[in-house]
Each structure stands twice: as structure tokens, then as C-alpha cells.
Amino acid sequence: MDRINETFQRLAAQKEKALVGFVTAGDPNPAVSKQIISAMCRSGLDILELGVPFSDPTADGPVIQRSSERALKKGTTLSTVLDMTADLRKETEVPVIIFSYYNPIFSYGVESFYRAAVDAGADGVLVVDLPPEESDELTACWTGKGFSLIRLVAPTTPPERVAVITTAASGFVYLVSMTGVTGSAGLQTDPIADLCLRVRKTTTLPVCVGFGISTADDVARVSKAADGVVIGSAFERLIEENLDNPGLPELVAERVRQYKAATRV
């Protein structure tokens, strides 16, 4: 069994939901970023989404856009992200998902990316702008079963397309809570519960909800309906507010502990 499945089975037995945390790799610089992700994994994070900084992050709001700009200015590349993953794997079994747009992977080489990601100890990839109809180019060279392709479902996705997307997914399904970009306000719990039910009719994979979740209260409310909660902009906002603070890794770790406590339902 792979690390993602093991994580969800362990959490279900413990009556907990998954805390999935996103940060942009290399923000505010690669050295501090390594300290941050290490501290997050030691503090209760269940799954790490490690973002590849990209110059045109169209699905992301201004907070994550600025984090990408900072990381790019510090020279962070996809190779940097894979090196960080390999270093992290030496100290933790927390699943790592490489979160990227397709351009960096295509430029790196899809087969080279797969082999390097597996060798680094990554557990899967989420490619924001790669629809199922175009993803064979990426997955045709995947020779093992332990590397997942996480798929996105939006509130506006028609039911028949939800089935197409979830059939092609593995690991878990990332359910976008609202229309808009990451970091948007206006989280509404009732529509999320309905969306989770719609997705579960098409798949047995865990359903994790992201976009617009920023407080422990948000985590507790969403955890009642979903198998996991994804938080990105709130972590990146905390990083942005403490760029020169030497205690930044511990600040992020404390935030992880607060969110994780709210996943116990």
C-alpha cells in the first residue's frame, strides 16, 4: 500500500480528517523553505503539497502569486523542488505531492520528471492546467502504481464530467470549494457538503476540499463533510508576514498544530 492510502486509512481509524498543507517551494528562499516544510511535517501535517513556482499561476490568488515571484527570484526551479523532496524524505514518511502547472514539467521532460519524482520519494503530482483528455502524454511513461495523479473538481463541473475526472484520478480527489482563485473569501459549508456527496457518488477515493479555508473554525466545519482539508494561502500569508523573522518555521508549525487539532471530529 502506498503512503497516501496508508495515511487516509490510519486517519479514518483514528477518526481524524487529513490536513493537507500547500506551500510554494523556495519561499522565502530555498534554505528557509526546507526548514518550514520540515517543521510542518514534524507538527502533524498529514500530506504536503509542494508547489513549483511558476511565472503565470492563473489559478492562484495574489498571495500565492507573490510567493511564486519570491521563490523564482531566489532561483527555485523544478529541480530545486525535487531536491527538497529528496531531502525531506530522509526524515519523514509524510506523503509529498508535487503541485505544478504543466509547463515546468513539460520543459523538464515528462519521463525525466516521473523518474526524478519517484526517485526523490514524491507520492504524486497535481497539475493544475492538465485536463484528463490531455494527460496521457504525462502518464504514458508511468511504470509503477505508487505515484498518484491528483485531479481537481470544481463547483461548476457538470456531473457527467465529474465522473470522467474521478475515474482518471488516484490518491484523492481535490474538490475546489468555490469559484475563483486560491485565497478567495466567502467559504460556505452547506454547498461544500452537497458537492462532496456529488463527488462520492462517482468514486471511492478520499475527497479533500480546498480554496478559501483559513481558520481552525473553517477546518472544523469542512472536516464534517470531507475526508481532508487543503490549506495554502493562509500558510503563504503567514510566511509573507514574517519574511525576516528567524522564528518563521516555528510560527508555521504552530499554525499546523492549530489546524490539525480541528480535523479531529
Side-chain angles (χ1 to χ4, degrees), residues 164-187:
V164 171
I165 293 171
T166 59
T167 298
S170 52
F172 62 88
V173 177
Y174 188 134
L175 175 58
V176 177
S177 69
M178 62 182 75
T179 56
V181 295
T182 56
S184 299
L187 185 70

Side-chain angles (χ1 to χ4, degrees), residues 40-71:
M40 293 174 78
C41 292
R42 290 196 306 269
S43 303
L45 192 74
D46 295 304
I47 296 175
L48 173 66
E49 286 185 350
L50 196 51
V52 178
F54 184 52
S55 58
D56 300 290
T58 52
D60 291 308
V63 174
I64 292 180
Q65 288 181 20
R66 291 194 293 271
S67 74
S68 283
E69 292 172 3
R70 289 191 295 272

Side-chain angles (χ1 to χ4, degrees), residues 4 7 13 17 22 29 38 55 61 68 72 81-82 93 101 156-157 159 166 208 214 233 240 256 258 260 262:
I4 296 175
T7 296
K17 303 302 177 68
F22 167 96
N29 60 64
S38 179
S55 58
S68 283
L72 289 169
V81 179
L82 295 171
E93 288 298 308
Y101 292 80
T156 53
T157 306
T166 59
C208 296
S214 61
S233 294
E240 186 174 61
V256 168
Q258 292 171 7
K260 183 56 198 172

Side-chain angles (χ1 to χ4, degrees), residues 17-225:
K17 303 302 177 68
L19 175 61
V20 184
F22 167 96
V23 291
T24 300
D27 179 38
N29 60 64
V32 175
S33 185
K34 285 182 182 179
Q35 297 175 27
I36 290 171
I37 62 175
S38 179
M40 293 174 78
C41 292
R42 290 196 306 269
S43 303
L45 192 74
D46 295 304
I47 296 175
L48 173 66
E49 286 185 350
L50 196 51
V52 178
F54 184 52
S55 58
D56 300 290
T58 52
D60 291 308
V63 174
I64 292 180
Q65 288 181 20
R66 291 194 293 271
S67 74
S68 283
E69 292 172 3
R70 289 191 295 272
L72 289 169
K73 286 180 180 176
K74 295 297 181 180
T76 307
T77 65
L78 177 53
S79 294
T80 312
V81 179
L82 295 171
D83 289 344
M84 291 175 66
T85 301
D87 288 344
L88 187 67
R89 185 55 70 221
K90 296 173 184 174
E91 59 182 75
T92 182
E93 288 298 308
V94 169
V96 178
I97 306 298
I98 305 297
F99 188 108
S100 182
Y101 292 80
Y102 191 53
N103 186 285
I105 294 173
F106 182 78
S107 297
Y108 190 94
V110 293
E111 185 168 358
S112 297
F113 165 75
Y114 169 70
R115 295 188 184 283
V118 171
D119 289 346
D123 300 276
V125 62
L126 192 162
V127 187
V128 180
D129 52 354
L130 186 65
E133 293 82 357
E134 305 294 334
S135 60
D136 284 352
E137 180 180 69
L138 175 69
T139 59
C141 62
W142 292 14
T143 55
K145 295 183 179 180
F147 195 71
S148 296
L149 180 56
I150 312 301
R151 300 283 192 178
L152 289 162
V153 172
T156 53
T157 306
E160 60 274 14
R161 183 151 180 83
V162 172
V164 171
I165 293 171
T166 59
T167 298
S170 52
F172 62 88
V173 177
Y174 188 134
L175 175 58
V176 177
S177 69
M178 62 182 75
T179 56
V181 295
T182 56
S184 299
L187 185 70
Q188 297 183 5
T189 309
D190 288 345
I192 291 173
D194 292 340
L195 288 168
C196 286
L197 289 175
R198 278 177 48 197
V199 174
R200 286 202 171 98
K201 289 179 180 177
T202 67
T203 183
T204 58
L205 290 173
V207 179
C208 296
V209 174
F211 281 47
I213 300 169
S214 61
T215 69
D217 182 62
D218 292 340
V219 174
R221 289 190 293 135
V222 174
S223 291
K224 293 178 181 177

